Amino acid sequence: MITVILEQLRRRRGRALALAAGILVAATSFTLLTATVSTSRATTVGTVGENARSAYDVLVRPPGSQTDVERESGLVVPNFLSGTFGGITMDQYRRIRGMAGVDVAAPVANIGYLMVMSTISVDVSRFLDSRATRQILRIRPTLTAGLGTYRTSDEYVYLTRSPLTSASSADQVFRSDTLEKGAVDESTRRYLLNGKYDVCFYFNRDKTEQTKFNLELPMRPNLIAEDRSEMSPFDPALNEWMNCQSGRDKATIDVPVGYPVLLSAIDPAAEDRLVGIGATITSGRMLTERDKPWVVPSSKSIHGQRDSYVPAMLSSSPLTAGTLDATVERLDVGDPANLPSKLGNPTAASFVRGLHGTPVGRIGVDLGKGYRKALQEDSFDTGAYWTVGPVTYRRTPGGDLAVRPQARQKPGLWVTNQGEQPVPFVPEENQGEQYRKVISHASTDCIGLGHCDNVDSGRLPNPFVKLVGRYDTGRLRGFSPLSDVPLETYQPPQVTGADGATRAALHDRPLRPDRNLGGYVSPPPTMLTTMDSITALTKSRRVPGLQDKAPVSAIRIRVAGVSGVDTASRARVNAVAGAIRAAYPHLQVDVTVGSSPAPRTVALKPSVHVTERWVAKGVALRILKAVDTKSAVLFVLVLVVCALFIGQAALASVRSRRTEIGTLRCLGWSGGEVLRLILGELTVIGLASGAAGTLLTYVLGRVLGQPGAGAKSLLVLPVALLVALTAGLIPAWLATRLGPMEAVRPAVSAARRARPVGSVAGLAGLNLLRVRGRTLLGAAGLALAVAAFTVLLALTLAFRGEAAGSLLGNAVVAQARGADYLSVGLSLLLGAAGAIDVLIISQRERAADLAVLRATGWTHRELAKLTLYEGIGLALLGGLTGAAAGLLVVLSLGQGVLHGHLLAIAGAALLATLAATALVGAALAIPIRGLSRIAPAHLLAAD
């Protein structure tokens, strides 16, 4: 039998080599594809596992803090913390902290925004007139912050070469350090102090030009503050300042600025375990659990009474952004000798504002310069602080998000308790667009008393903040950007322009927080205190609020024993989240393990669109489920396509030997012997193909960077042998079922009745119908290939739709793209190759028919058209059937797979059909040219 098998293979070596090549391609493709799928899945699982763990696993927020948009889309808004001031009680926090499974429970209690005052020193020396004995420079600054530009107060410097001296009034109550001797004007003589004019007092301290007791008597310099209750906090004149300096060729202007600093309470130990805050200290020391509020005795108090203090750390980095650009003007002051008298009387402000200025240059300065100067201070007042509400969103008709604007800030928001005076140096940005509701919290009037009476009875004196250290948020240990969750305690959300116009307005920079308390991007906490300091701060407000009873704004929880999104880790996280929900059903509990930033477009205004990173929950778990489903289906489809390809080749090979098999049966060969002959041939071919495929797979695996290419290449030999035998078993068995006479008859269906054929295309269709088995065999491969293409494309799009949209999902999709395209493309190629193989066999079987047609006058062109039309008809039959079958399979998988992709998938299936048809037509050019070179007499003689 072995000799017969080898002789048969030698005699039919062309067909044997073709079958061997088919097995080689199928086995190699199957091994490489399954290896690629496995590698892609392993890479995806590895990527997800490495990036599933973020800074915390569970986020607990107050009741009602989840917006409708978050609830509908499974997202967490990136700036959730900045608009939350209280809502969780200390008892709730302590109980959550003590629950089983909780490793770290780090609370954040936002207290409010304090206004820290500072100055920005601007050197204007290069703009001085070196010849002038006295001169005044004015700068007209413009502030640019975020998307807004604001005109700010004019600022001045008065430079004199005369010395500025100090002196006190006769009653020793008032003292000045800016006294200058100058020409005395009779109308201003009454304002002299020890024969000198105070050249800075009236411009800086009293612009009212009022007279004493509303009489004609002049108001002399005094300690009583100017009454500005009628002025708006946003009035530019309120913040004008004159810098009085003595010298020559050197002058600076100190521009006064205010910085809103969010003061928040944390648990230092928990915070250090969660994010490593202890490693960020730049000066001083870290807060500890021993840091509590304390009272200074009257002997050491700056008020001469009892003052209370709370400990705090201040961020060393300015978390608000902005720049000042100013035009510098040199003022025409007239006779310099008269300047002291002009500046040293109540009309000083009117005089200076009325001076003509000549522009002499421009300057620019970073707004953060003043904040860094404020770092030198070690204590701050808490006389007033402000809280802000959350941003609210709505859905646009196009499905995007739009911010609901808030009303403009009212001037009454920025006044002090004492005489309803406006707060000085209110940041100009607060006049811009408002996206949050801002609330002022006035302090009690009992500072330094140790207790409160009358209207503030039962409340506490407002404390001072004493700094124990500075920290730099840039030193925080990094977390994976693919699973980043909001760390608003230390960094603002990332917001960028979503379109060209917005990016141009932002000068291609991110939208950073500014000093507008009602702005869209709020600065994170800049000053941190301890949880024990909360009461000293919240109960020092005149009007009780939510923070008195429930001061905690959020709790970030790390669960013990969690390593990623494996089953055990998910169970631990869900157990903790479930316990919190059961204990406090009204609290908002979000599981953030396995989350990932998901960019969303938000319309701040109709013409302003930004992109920011919201947090999509459960991304890792959805990706793992989707990749498991996709990998399983991909494996099955690749296996079936490869097996069918070999089956087609084997069946076509057997059908091409019908006459030979019939002859053997007539010579007395039994069905078993024929079976062993065919399977023996397939075994030899499979072994040879497997050996060649092993080497080919190893080389390709190394070239494509497949890990373990050597081990995977060893699988090709058994796979090739198994595929060859499995695919050839049915054709071999069918061959044994043929009777001797039946085997020598042509495999053509008997005609029921004659039909006239009027065209080449009609004859091609009739030929396909006459040999139905062969036609169905060729179409089956293409049908399965197109169906596989359709299903794979649907699953790939569904997988991407499930995974994409977040940074982690996008990374996974990008990694899996190569394997997806390779699998889809190769399945289509294998199906087309099977159909071409069947058509080539068909042409050889019908060589005599073609010779008759050629002998009766058919031209080579007509014969070529006949062959081409048969191939196109077979390809269209298989492709369209496969497209319909693929869509039915996709529908059976669920509407979610087709959601939003029906037209794309249907169009792709039709394109795959056309591509397969074109491929079949192009491949038929070879047998067409071969048959055209054979003379009809030779073909008929061979028959």
Side-chain angles (χ1 to χ4, degrees), residues 31 47 147 268 408 449 467 492 508 595 613 617 770 862 881 907 909:
T31 305
T47 300
L147 293 164
R408 295 279 183 174
L449 299 179
L467 297 184
D508 291 322
S595 299
R613 294 181 175 182
K617 297 182 291 185
R770 289 175 62 236
E862 289 170 327
T881 303

Side-chain angles (χ1 to χ4, degrees), residues 303-622:
H303 298 98
Q305 302 182 64
R306 292 165 55 86
D307 287 330
S308 58
Y309 286 84
V310 295
M313 298 191 309
L314 182 65
S315 172
S316 60
S317 301
L319 301 178
T320 55
T323 56
L324 283 174
D325 294 289
T327 300
V328 182
E329 296 179 347
R330 188 181 298 148
L331 303 187
D332 302 331
V333 298
D335 186 359
N338 295 327
L339 268 180
S341 65
K342 295 291 186 182
L343 297 176
N345 74 84
T347 62
S350 298
F351 164 73
V352 173
R353 290 172 184 158
L355 294 176
H356 175 267
T358 302
V360 291
R362 295 189 63 83
I363 57 171
V365 63
D366 182 5
L367 201 62
K369 185 177 179 181
Y371 179 85
R372 287 184 283 270
K373 188 175 182 180
L375 291 173
Q376 302 171 10
E377 303 293 330
D378 62 356
S379 63
F380 300 93
D381 185 15
T382 61
Y385 64 66
W386 296 261
T387 60
V388 301
V391 175
T392 57
Y393 299 88
R394 61 177 178 84
R395 290 281 187 184
T396 64
D400 289 334
L401 299 176
V403 181
R404 298 183 186 275
Q406 298 286 334
R408 295 279 183 174
Q409 291 183 14
K410 296 181 179 179
L413 188 67
W414 299 95
V415 296
T416 64
N417 273 4
Q418 292 74 25
E420 298 297 317
Q421 298 297 308
V423 173
F425 312 126
V426 175
E428 289 80 4
E429 298 95 310
N430 287 277
Q431 302 173 71
E433 297 288 339
Q434 299 295 300
Y435 302 103
R436 303 172 185 273
K437 184 179 181 180
V438 184
I439 301 174
S440 175
H441 298 266
S443 67
T444 57
D445 262 344
C446 44
I447 184 171
L449 299 179
H451 65 281
C452 295
D453 294 324
N454 301 324
V455 68
D456 295 325
S457 178
R459 308 301 291 171
L460 298 176
N462 59 295
F464 292 91
V465 174
K466 184 72 172 180
L467 297 184
V468 301
R470 279 84 173 168
Y471 65 97
D472 181 5
T473 58
R475 296 186 179 185
L476 283 176
R477 68 167 180 259
F479 297 94
S480 169
L482 301 183
S483 60
D484 202 14
V485 291
L487 279 177
E488 286 188 274
T489 318
Y490 308 104
Q491 59 192 25
Q494 298 184 34
V495 182
T496 56
D499 52 41
T502 305
R503 286 191 291 271
L506 289 170
H507 306 287
D508 291 322
R509 291 192 294 264
L511 177 61
R512 293 182 57 194
D514 55 25
R515 301 176 301 161
N516 179 9
L517 294 189
Y520 181 68
V521 184
S522 290
T526 316
M527 188 180 292
L528 301 177
T529 187
T530 61
M531 301 297 288
D532 289 326
S533 301
I534 293 176
T535 299
L537 291 159
T538 60
K539 290 196 175 180
S540 67
R541 301 304 100 184
R542 173 164 288 177
V543 178
L546 173 65
Q547 292 174 301
D548 283 1
K549 297 180 179 179
V552 179
S553 304
I555 306 173
R556 295 149 302 152
I557 296 173
R558 179 180 295 166
V559 178
V562 173
S563 58
V565 288
D566 55 278
T567 304
S569 295
R570 294 201 305 268
R572 292 186 179 100
V573 172
N574 291 333
V576 171
I580 298 173
R581 292 190 184 104
Y584 303 110
H586 298 297
L587 294 181
Q588 174 61 37
V589 180
D590 294 304
V591 174
T592 57
V593 65
S595 299
S596 180
R600 291 292 183 273
T601 299
V602 179
L604 303 185
K605 294 188 292 186
S607 59
V608 177
H609 297 80
V610 297
T611 299
E612 61 179 337
R613 294 181 175 182
W614 291 47
V615 174
K617 297 182 291 185
V619 170
L621 185 58
R622 292 199 302 272

Side-chain angles (χ1 to χ4, degrees), residues 102-421:
V102 173
D103 180 28
V104 179
V108 179
N110 290 335
I111 306 300
Y113 287 93
L114 305 178
M115 195 60 64
V116 173
M117 303 303 174
S118 184
T119 58
I120 299 176
S121 295
V122 181
D123 190 338
V124 292
S125 302
R126 66 183 185 275
F127 305 111
L128 294 170
D129 182 356
S130 60
R131 296 166 299 176
T133 57
R134 294 183 177 95
Q135 57 187 309
I136 300 176
L137 296 183
R138 172 171 56 204
I139 62 171
R140 296 184 178 273
T142 299
L143 169 66
T144 300
L147 293 164
T149 301
Y150 310 90
R151 180 74 171 84
T152 67
S153 304
D154 292 343
E155 308 297 336
Y156 301 84
V157 60
Y158 167 61
L159 183 67
T160 175
R161 294 185 182 181
S162 300
L164 296 178
T165 60
S166 302
S168 299
S169 60
D171 55 8
Q172 300 296 314
V173 172
F174 178 78
R175 178 180 176 83
S176 174
D177 296 322
T178 54
L179 299 178
E180 183 184 13
K181 189 173 184 179
V184 178
D185 186 280
E186 290 301 321
S187 64
T188 61
R189 180 182 293 273
R190 70 191 71 179
Y191 301 107
L192 290 171
L193 179 62
N194 291 347
K196 297 180 180 181
Y197 290 101
D198 190 336
V199 291
C200 262
F201 173 80
Y202 286 103
F203 190 93
N204 292 337
R205 304 297 183 186
D206 190 355
K207 298 182 177 71
T208 63
E209 301 187 18
Q210 294 178 349
T211 56
K212 191 174 183 180
F213 306 123
N214 292 323
L215 302 175
E216 295 302 322
L217 299 174
M219 178 177 282
R220 300 294 298 275
N222 59 81
L223 295 178
I224 301 175
E226 174 187 1
D227 182 9
R228 301 182 177 185
S229 58
E230 298 300 322
M231 298 183 70
S232 167
F234 302 125
D235 187 344
L238 182 68
N239 298 324
E240 290 179 328
W241 194 260
M242 174 79 77
N243 296 262
C244 297
Q245 300 168 8
S246 176
R248 59 181 301 166
D249 301 330
K250 181 68 176 177
T252 58
I253 295 178
D254 289 336
V255 181
V257 287
Y259 296 92
V261 171
L262 179 56
L263 173 62
S264 298
I266 61 169
D267 180 331
E271 204 68 30
D272 191 35
R273 290 184 60 197
L274 188 73
V275 298
I277 185 66
T280 68
I281 303 302
T282 58
S283 64
R285 63 173 177 83
M286 170 71 179
L287 286 170
T288 69
E289 294 179 339
R290 297 188 300 273
D291 287 318
K292 304 178 185 299
W294 73 93
V295 176
V296 174
S298 57
S299 60
K300 297 182 180 181
S301 170
I302 60 174
H303 298 98
Q305 302 182 64
R306 292 165 55 86
D307 287 330
S308 58
Y309 286 84
V310 295
M313 298 191 309
L314 182 65
S315 172
S316 60
S317 301
L319 301 178
T320 55
T323 56
L324 283 174
D325 294 289
T327 300
V328 182
E329 296 179 347
R330 188 181 298 148
L331 303 187
D332 302 331
V333 298
D335 186 359
N338 295 327
L339 268 180
S341 65
K342 295 291 186 182
L343 297 176
N345 74 84
T347 62
S350 298
F351 164 73
V352 173
R353 290 172 184 158
L355 294 176
H356 175 267
T358 302
V360 291
R362 295 189 63 83
I363 57 171
V365 63
D366 182 5
L367 201 62
K369 185 177 179 181
Y371 179 85
R372 287 184 283 270
K373 188 175 182 180
L375 291 173
Q376 302 171 10
E377 303 293 330
D378 62 356
S379 63
F380 300 93
D381 185 15
T382 61
Y385 64 66
W386 296 261
T387 60
V388 301
V391 175
T392 57
Y393 299 88
R394 61 177 178 84
R395 290 281 187 184
T396 64
D400 289 334
L401 299 176
V403 181
R404 298 183 186 275
Q406 298 286 334
R408 295 279 183 174
Q409 291 183 14
K410 296 181 179 179
L413 188 67
W414 299 95
V415 296
T416 64
N417 273 4
Q418 292 74 25
E420 298 297 317
Q421 298 297 308

Side-chain angles (χ1 to χ4, degrees), residues 799-828:
F799 168 70
R800 293 179 184 176
E802 189 72 20
S806 66
L807 298 190
L808 178 59
N810 293 341
V812 166
V813 166
Q815 290 174 343
R817 188 175 290 123
D820 294 341
Y821 290 159
L822 182 62
S823 304
V824 170
L826 197 52
S827 66
L828 194 61

Side-chain angles (χ1 to χ4, degrees), residues 728-812:
L729 185 61
I730 294 178
W733 179 76
L734 291 176
T736 64
R737 307 293 295 174
L738 294 174
M741 298 305 297
E742 185 183 1
V744 297
R745 295 195 194 103
V748 177
S749 301
R752 297 181 181 178
R753 60 181 182 138
R755 293 192 185 95
V757 178
S759 65
V760 176
L763 181 59
L766 184 60
N767 284 339
L768 292 176
L769 292 175
R770 289 175 62 236
V771 194
R772 295 187 183 92
R774 186 167 54 210
T775 300
L776 293 177
L777 178 65
L782 269 180
L784 184 60
V786 174
F789 174 88
T790 305
V791 174
L792 280 175
L793 180 63
L795 289 175
T796 299
L797 291 176
F799 168 70
R800 293 179 184 176
E802 189 72 20
S806 66
L807 298 190
L808 178 59
N810 293 341
V812 166

Side-chain angles (χ1 to χ4, degrees), residues 617-630:
K617 297 182 291 185
V619 170
L621 185 58
R622 292 199 302 272
I623 290 175
L624 292 180
K625 289 182 177 178
V627 77
D628 284 342
T629 301
K630 188 192 72 166

